[in-house]
Each structure stands twice: as structure tokens, then as C-alpha cells.
Amino acid sequence: MNLQISVAKSVCVGLIAVLISCNSPVKYYSVSDFGNVPKIDAHFHYLTMDDKYLEIASDLKFRLISINWDGEYSIDEQMKITSSIVRAHPREFAFFGTFSVDSFGKPDFVEKTIARINECMKAGAAGIKIWKNIGMVLKDRNGRYVMIDDPAFDPIFAYLEKNKIPVMGHLGEPKDCWLPENEMIDPGARGYFKENPQYYMYLHPEAPSYDEQINSRDNVLKKYPKLDFIGAHMASIEWSVDELADRLDNYPNLKVDMAARMYPIQYQSSIDREKVRNFMIRYQDRILYATDFEVHDQPGRNSDEIMANLYKGWLSQWIYLATDSTIEVKGLKLPRDVIDKIYFKNAEKYFR
């Protein structure tokens, strides 16, 4: 066991000590199984050429899928990092590439976008990420917000569907994004939107509504039913497993990842644990474990500190999903075969 893991584990001694202990039948995992079971974090952001974090994750039996996005961080720099790491560690690492919408509205937009998609796939990408700037930032020449079901994207989606290229879509935001702070469910959302007011739609009533964002995404799923589509962040329907179940029933090729939406899931299970547990079991083939965790070169922070935080987050979520121990809320104690799918089997196909 390397130094980083030892340091990280010491951070979590108090966490494990407060767990409610229970004798589990063999069909369930325990807290102690965490470091021995193969796992995939299917929505990670790896933003450094240093592969030490990947090595540490591997010690915990984690593989990582790094998701590139068309935001504040250069898409070319992300591609450089992730394509380099996937060449060196194809069994432990995968990535989704992305494309820019800077040329939207120009005659060569579709041609340039498809060329970029092909560049990503040739560099080893497992699929393509589409980000929330479509629907929340991008505007046409008349100043209107461009939604993801705009006809300009039709040739791109047709190409992705025809070539069986998986798509991860972060479209819209959590419902909290359209609510005043005192009505938000997730305290993490309050912090994020305070730091990123440009994405806090409550402050921008002229922008498309939450329902318009979701309906626009759903229109794409209707138009391209064979598209292999992962709805990032519980498909932005994190607030209701009933609503999300309706989408999963209507769109057979839709899958969802759990990235950065564990709090709303736990909130719902604190009200009706069996409903949330039954949802996870019913859709066990359609849910990918993911965190939205990020590692990059941070001045003033060493790798032990960063990895300790990762370990703490990964462990606490394992406790919630795999056991019935109580930290903030009582865990779901999903059966082993369900945990194996959510944590590993459903995302394994994205690796070489």
C-alpha cells in the first residue's frame, strides 16, 4: 500500500468508527470490501499529465473515465492530457472527447464538428461529451439561446447515431439552478452557483427555463432513438426518481450517471428509502457510478491531501450505496449484483 493511500485512509478512521455495524448475508458487500471490488468512476476530470492519481485509484480497484467539456478549460489541452494517459493506461483509463461551438452559425460548423469528433475517436476517445453551454450560453446571430434540439445539430447527431458513437450529455442543470437560494435542496448547489453566477438561471429569467432544457434534450432522444446516450448528473432530473424513471421507460437507450448528484438522491431516500432503493434495483442496468471529482496541478496542495479527499468521498458513497450503515442517512444496501453493475459492468464497455 503506497503512502498516499495510507495517508488517505487515516483521514477516514473517524468516519468508519461511527458506522452502524450489521451482519450482512453474502449477497451484500460490507465497508471492508470497498478496496477489493472492481469499480469505475464514470465521470471524472483528469486535468494533469501526472498519472500518480490514476495509480492511486488503481490501488483502490478504481478505473477512471475522464470527461472533457467545452467550458473554461481548453478542450485541446484536455485532449492532450487524456489521449496521452489512455495510450499509457488503456485498461485503467478512458475518456470522452468534446467539440467546440465557437463556429456555430458558420457554414462549416457541421463539417468542423464532425472532423473534431473523428479526431477525438482516433485519439482513443470512448465517446463524445456535449455540455450545458448549449442551452445556457450559446446564442444565435439574433441573440436567441440555442437549444440542443436546434436543427443545426441534426447532421451531427445523425452522424453519432449512425457510427454508434456514445454521447454523454450535460444539458440543463439541477432544478435548484432555477430556484432562490433558500429553496434549494442541495447545499453544494448553493456554493457552486454563488461562485458561478453566470450559470445561476434564477438570476437570468430571460434564459430558457428548466422544463425547456429537459424537453429539448428529450426531443433529441425521440429523434435519434438508437443514440447511445448517457444523461450526465442523473440527466438533470436528480430531484425525482419518479420523473427519471419515466424518462428511462420512454427512452430505452438512455443511461444516467450519478456524478455530483448524490445529495439529492440521499435527500429523497431520507424521505422514502424504499422508493429510491427500488429505483436503483429496477434500473440497475442503466445507472453508472460517477462523482465529477477533479484532479489537476494545484499550487499549495500536495497529492496526499487531494487523494485523501477523493478517498473520503469514494468511501462515503460506497457506504451509502452498498451498506445499510448510517452516516447522514441510512444506506441503501443494494445487492452485490446491483452494485457490480452500477459500479463496474455498466461502464466497462467504454474501456479498450
Side-chain angles (χ1 to χ4, degrees):
M1 187 68 66
N2 62 38
L3 175 61
Q4 287 90 346
I5 294 299
S6 298
V7 172
K9 283 191 171 181
S10 68
V11 174
C12 299
V13 169
L15 178 66
I16 297 175
V18 301
L19 297 176
I20 297 175
S21 130
C22 54
N23 295 320
S24 299
V26 292
K27 70 174 185 175
Y28 297 105
Y29 285 119
S30 68
V31 178
S32 62
D33 291 314
F34 170 70
N36 303 315
V37 175
K39 300 174 291 294
I40 294 170
D41 188 333
H43 191 139
F44 199 90
H45 294 293
Y46 210 101
L47 302 172
T48 173
M49 293 294 287
D50 192 338
D51 62 4
K52 65 187 171 190
Y53 301 108
L54 181 61
E55 294 173 0
I56 294 167
S58 295
D59 286 344
L60 291 169
K61 298 294 179 66
F62 261 111
R63 299 183 189 183
L64 304 178
I65 303 178
S66 188
I67 309 299
N68 298 351
W69 80 103
D70 183 26
E72 295 82 358
Y73 201 90
S74 162
I75 67 171
D76 291 331
E77 183 64 21
Q78 292 177 75
M79 176 89 122
K80 178 182 176 183
I81 291 169
T82 52
S83 62
S84 174
I85 294 178
V86 81
R87 285 194 299 271
H89 304 278
R91 292 298 301 158
E92 292 81 31
F93 188 85
F95 77 96
F96 274 57
T98 194
F99 58 85
S100 171
V101 293
D102 289 347
S103 64
F104 183 85
K106 297 180 180 178
D108 62 350
F109 172 66
V110 170
E111 180 183 354
K112 287 180 69 172
T113 300
I114 290 177
R116 172 71 183 195
I117 290 169
N118 288 334
E119 181 184 356
C120 291
M121 301 310 291
K122 288 177 182 176
I128 297 297
K129 168 70 176 289
I130 298 173
W131 200 50
K132 66 185 181 185
N133 55 343
I134 302 173
M136 300 184 74
V137 177
L138 180 64
K139 295 180 181 181
D140 65 18
R141 60 186 177 183
N142 296 314
R144 290 190 293 258
Y145 283 89
V146 177
M147 307 301 286
I148 195 61
D149 61 350
D150 190 289
F153 294 109
D154 283 351
I156 296 167
F157 281 117
Y159 183 84
L160 291 164
E161 184 184 55
K162 178 181 177 180
N163 289 278
K164 297 181 171 57
I165 297 174
V167 174
M168 176 179 285
H170 175 178
L171 298 163
E173 281 284 66
K175 203 167 187 179
D176 280 350
C177 180
W178 282 266
L179 299 175
E181 285 188 34
N182 64 346
E183 294 181 20
M184 290 184 183
I185 290 175
D186 188 350
R190 295 190 195 104
Y192 176 79
F193 293 124
K194 189 168 288 187
E195 293 178 5
N196 298 275
Q198 71 274 28
Y199 299 129
Y200 185 19
M201 292 297 103
Y202 179 73
L203 300 179
H204 305 283
E206 75 285 358
S209 68
Y210 171 80
D211 287 337
E212 287 174 311
Q213 301 284 350
I214 299 302
N215 291 339
S216 177
R217 189 272 317 285
D218 289 352
N219 287 339
V220 171
L221 298 178
K222 291 173 188 173
K223 191 179 292 188
Y224 302 98
K226 295 182 181 178
L227 188 67
D228 183 353
F229 193 93
I230 303 169
H233 311 296
M234 300 297 281
S236 294
I237 312 179
E238 75 299 322
W239 58 279
S240 170
V241 293
D242 291 330
E243 287 288 329
L244 187 51
D246 182 63
R247 295 318 195 286
L248 291 168
D249 289 341
N250 285 328
Y251 308 116
N253 281 328
L254 172 64
K255 295 174 285 295
V256 298
D257 78 31
M258 305 172 72
R261 299 297 182 263
M262 192 64 75
Y263 188 93
I265 297 170
Q266 292 178 328
Y267 177 81
Q268 291 176 78
S269 73
S270 71
I271 298 169
D272 192 338
R273 177 177 178 268
E274 287 310 302
K275 177 193 283 191
V276 175
R277 187 173 188 273
N278 290 338
F279 170 85
M280 295 288 182
I281 293 172
R282 179 177 177 184
Y283 298 102
Q284 60 187 270
D285 298 309
R286 315 273 294 279
I287 301 169
L288 283 66
Y289 174 75
T291 62
D292 209 18
F293 290 164
E294 178 179 303
V295 292
H296 54 85
D297 299 318
Q298 297 174 297
R301 293 188 68 193
N302 60 37
S303 58
D304 288 345
E305 179 185 359
I306 294 169
M307 201 56 217
N309 287 332
L310 291 178
Y311 181 88
K312 183 177 180 180
W314 276 332
L315 177 61
S316 66
Q317 293 182 6
W318 171 268
I319 291 166
Y320 171 69
L321 294 169
T323 81
D324 61 358
S325 298
T326 299
I327 303 177
E328 297 294 332
V329 296
K330 186 175 182 178
L332 297 180
K333 196 176 183 180
L334 299 172
R336 280 189 182 219
D337 56 345
V338 176
I339 289 291
D340 288 341
K341 289 179 182 178
I342 292 174
Y343 264 94
F344 188 78
K345 292 179 181 178
N346 294 344
E348 188 179 16
K349 71 176 185 176
Y350 300 114
F351 291 80
R352 294 179 180 177

